[in-house]
Amino acid sequence: MRKVLGAVCVAVVTALSAVLLGVLLVAGAAPAGAASPTLVSSSPAAKARLSSWPDAVTLTFSDRVAKGTALVRVDGPGGVVSSTGRTATDGRTVTQPLAQKAGKGEYVVRWTVVLQDGTQLAGTIPWTFGTGAKPATQSRTVVAAENGVDAARTNPAAGALLVGVLVIALAWGFKRLRSAFGR
């Protein structure tokens, strides 16, 4: 009986150790100091005062943008939509063409993207066109959903290693348990 109880304890400790090791591996796959994905730059820049009308708005992100996920709208004075045509995505860069006619005043770029890792970002970028126009207000970026915590999904090697360690540890524990029962 004592031999059986010892084998059960070894099997339980082995399984718990495997789970703890897996948690440590997954936690190490996404370092705590890793920067959150974000908008790196824009053209026009936030709160810019432009004297000549730009052909497009360009947004550059810290990570690659998933194709077909970028939505960009540029609203001008009086709520007039100044964006036109399709939004183009090329790696970390998103470009939205602008209509040619524009009046003086404040413009706001409203954007949302989904990055390759599944993180959804959204924000606004105000800028001003024309001399004498009221200056633009504060810009804003929001991380809507960050999936970087799911390291086994975003890092397949960590997930495969975790599964391998768990299978080996459980097989070893069950082997010890079977030998305790004389099988």
Side-chain angles (χ1 to χ4, degrees):
M1 180 67 164
R2 206 171 194 170
K3 189 175 180 181
V4 171
L5 187 56
V8 169
C9 287
V10 167
V12 169
V13 168
T14 301
L16 290 175
S17 297
V19 170
L20 179 61
L21 178 63
V23 168
L24 291 175
L25 286 172
V26 169
S36 294
T38 187
L39 175 69
V40 175
S41 66
S42 68
S43 176
K47 299 198 256 177
R49 294 184 71 122
L50 305 179
S51 58
S52 62
W53 183 251
D55 292 331
V57 169
T58 304
L59 308 172
T60 304
F61 296 89
S62 59
D63 294 333
R64 293 179 64 83
V65 177
K67 289 279 187 191
T69 64
L71 298 173
V72 180
R73 177 182 165 135
V74 180
D75 294 324
V80 174
V81 177
S82 298
S83 48
T84 185
R86 289 189 145 162
T87 304
T89 302
D90 184 18
R92 300 179 321 128
T93 305
V94 172
T95 305
Q96 174 62 56
L98 296 178
Q100 292 300 314
K101 295 182 179 181
K104 292 181 181 178
E106 183 176 340
Y107 288 79
V108 178
V109 179
R110 299 180 198 304
W111 57 268
T112 181
V113 298
V114 177
L115 303 179
Q116 290 283 333
D117 70 356
T119 301
Q120 183 178 358
L121 301 175
T124 59
I125 303 167
W127 49 277
T128 306
F129 172 65
T131 56
K134 178 180 103 173
T137 56
Q138 186 66 31
S139 64
R140 182 175 97 114
T141 300
V142 177
V143 177
E146 194 168 317
N147 295 331
V149 177
D150 188 1
R153 186 171 141 201
T154 59
N155 186 346
L161 185 60
L162 173 61
V163 170
V165 167
L166 286 172
V167 167
I168 291 169
L170 289 173
W172 182 77
F174 285 123
K175 181 180 177 190
R176 297 267 313 199
L177 189 59
R178 286 185 69 192
S179 67
F181 284 110
R183 295 183 183 168

